[in-house]
Amino acid sequence: MTNKYVADIGTGWPKLPPLEAWQDTCTTVHMWTQIVGKVRLKLSPDINHSWGCTLYVSARGLTTSPIPYRGLVFAIDFDFIDHMLHISTSEGTKRSFALRPMPVADFYHQMMRVLEELNIEISILTKPSEVEVAIPFEKDDQHASYDIESMTHFWRALVQADRVLKDFRARFVGKASPVHFFWGWFDLAATRFSGRTAPKHPGGVPNVAARITEEAYTQEVWGGGFWPGTGLGEAAFYAYAYPEPAGFDKYVIQPESAYFHDKLDKFVLPYETVRASTDPDQMLLSFFQTTYEAVANLAHWDRDSLERKAIEA
């Protein structure tokens, strides 16, 4: 299958359509990733801070990475070049089906049927997480959009964000998360930890048990990432702190076009600002670095022991 949109994107940062133009696709694929993510959640070891259930950016889309099952492993891959879902096992068996406009319920039933064909027996909690209106997957006939061009462009933006976040992560020797895709909020994220205990998180995330959120924020963190902009209106990068030290929202960060969004309680940098700049990588790195410095300086993190020292040639 040849994707006619690949040639239109180039190798750099793709221009994204306005969120309103592909919101239906975004919501539909969000639910598809939740179905896939909940399979990994059900079968994978429970790694701290929910790191064991995430997806990862791949060379063709998003992947679960290997999932253990009865002495074997299997992986589920979204292919956003050929627009297919692939499920493959370590026994050499594989099944695929096309990503196309279809209700969430159809995607759910088709994926569970394919897993059964591969002799993978599993049931998952079908109620979506981190959304206000949580329609069970098997009953969701409302969300059924899939625009190839929009999804291809968004995935290629994820590729760029993933690359820069990994560069930023490498500059920290303290406890840090992988760069991974959380299907709950539909965002690519990375987290740095101070190593100190944080106050109990108040919870309140829609359709997420309080114990999950409390465990995720047992230590002081800086978090940053990228999401399509649901709740904001445009794709953007973000950065936050928990707990938020006094003065965090007023701290002077870079670039000047970044701002603190009071409702989201995060610093925000629009994706288009980064894409249109003369040096997108450096602009994004400065955003992550200065928002990290905001929490590290205001909360008195032990930066000397947590940050990687430059190695002279």
Side-chain angles (χ1 to χ4, degrees):
M1 177 178 178
T2 301
N3 184 345
K4 67 179 181 179
Y5 297 110
V6 172
D8 298 333
I9 297 168
T11 58
W13 296 71
K15 185 173 179 60
L16 297 181
L19 180 58
E20 62 182 13
W22 73 289
Q23 182 67 73
D24 290 345
T25 291
C26 182
T27 303
T28 300
V29 177
H30 184 184
M31 293 300 100
W32 293 356
T33 63
Q34 291 220 6
I35 294 167
V36 170
K38 284 174 181 281
V39 170
R40 186 178 183 214
L41 173 64
K42 183 68 175 285
L43 296 175
S44 297
D46 183 16
I47 301 174
N48 54 199
H49 315 316
S50 299
W51 295 352
C53 70
T54 59
L55 306 180
Y56 307 95
V57 174
S58 73
R60 299 186 69 89
L62 291 169
T63 181
T64 58
S65 75
I67 300 170
Y69 182 76
R70 297 181 180 177
L72 308 173
V73 296
F74 70 97
I76 307 175
D77 295 274
F78 286 94
D79 182 337
F80 294 130
I81 293 178
D82 287 343
H83 297 276
M84 302 287 292
L85 187 87
H86 303 295
I87 305 177
S88 54
T89 78
S90 56
E91 289 191 312
T93 54
K94 182 177 181 179
R95 297 288 188 278
S96 302
F97 62 85
L99 300 177
R100 55 179 176 76
M102 64 174 138
V104 170
D106 288 3
F107 180 95
Y108 168 78
H109 289 300
Q110 190 163 355
M111 197 188 82
M112 300 306 285
R113 184 168 55 251
V114 168
L115 288 172
E116 185 177 350
E117 291 174 2
L118 293 169
N119 298 314
I120 298 169
E121 299 176 6
I122 184 175
S123 63
I124 62 172
L125 179 65
T126 62
K127 186 177 182 180
S129 304
E130 297 189 48
V131 292
E132 295 285 353
V133 180
I135 306 170
F137 302 135
E138 73 275 18
K139 297 179 180 179
D140 188 352
D141 294 320
Q142 296 183 24
H143 304 117
S145 298
Y146 190 75
D147 181 73
I148 286 179
E149 181 175 10
S150 297
M151 201 59 228
T152 303
H153 281 65
F154 178 66
W155 165 66
R156 289 189 175 270
L158 283 174
V159 169
Q160 298 295 335
D162 181 72
R163 183 177 54 77
V164 176
L165 272 169
K166 285 175 177 172
D167 186 349
F168 184 67
R169 181 182 185 270
R171 305 177 184 196
F172 195 75
V173 296
K175 177 181 174 180
S177 76
V179 178
H180 42 198
F181 188 87
F182 277 103
W183 39 266
W185 203 47
F186 204 61
D187 68 314
L188 188 71
T191 313
R192 290 179 171 187
F193 295 78
S194 73
R196 301 188 307 228
T197 301
K200 183 178 179 179
H201 195 280
V205 179
N207 292 299
V208 175
R211 61 179 175 79
I212 302 297
T213 310
E214 290 168 8
E215 193 281 330
Y217 292 100
T218 52
Q219 296 179 14
E220 296 177 338
V221 301
W222 167 93
F226 170 68
W227 95 113
T230 301
L232 180 70
E234 63 176 328
F237 299 94
Y238 66 84
Y240 69 94
Y242 182 79
E244 191 176 296
F248 178 72
D249 59 332
K250 300 296 192 298
Y251 203 91
V252 178
I253 64 163
Q254 295 297 322
E256 293 182 358
S257 50
Y259 62 96
F260 192 84
H261 194 291
D262 291 327
K263 186 175 181 180
L264 295 173
D265 203 27
K266 293 174 174 64
F267 280 108
V268 169
L269 175 62
Y271 171 84
E272 180 59 23
T273 301
V274 175
R275 187 200 69 81
S277 70
T278 56
D279 192 342
D281 286 30
Q282 187 54 47
M283 175 178 282
L284 185 52
L285 285 169
S286 69
F287 173 71
F288 290 144
Q289 179 63 29
T290 55
T291 54
Y292 159 72
E293 289 174 356
V295 62
N297 291 339
L298 292 171
H300 307 292
W301 287 23
D302 184 5
R303 295 184 59 183
D304 287 341
S305 67
L306 293 171
E307 297 172 23
R308 188 173 186 176
K309 306 299 186 293
I311 300 175
E312 295 183 4

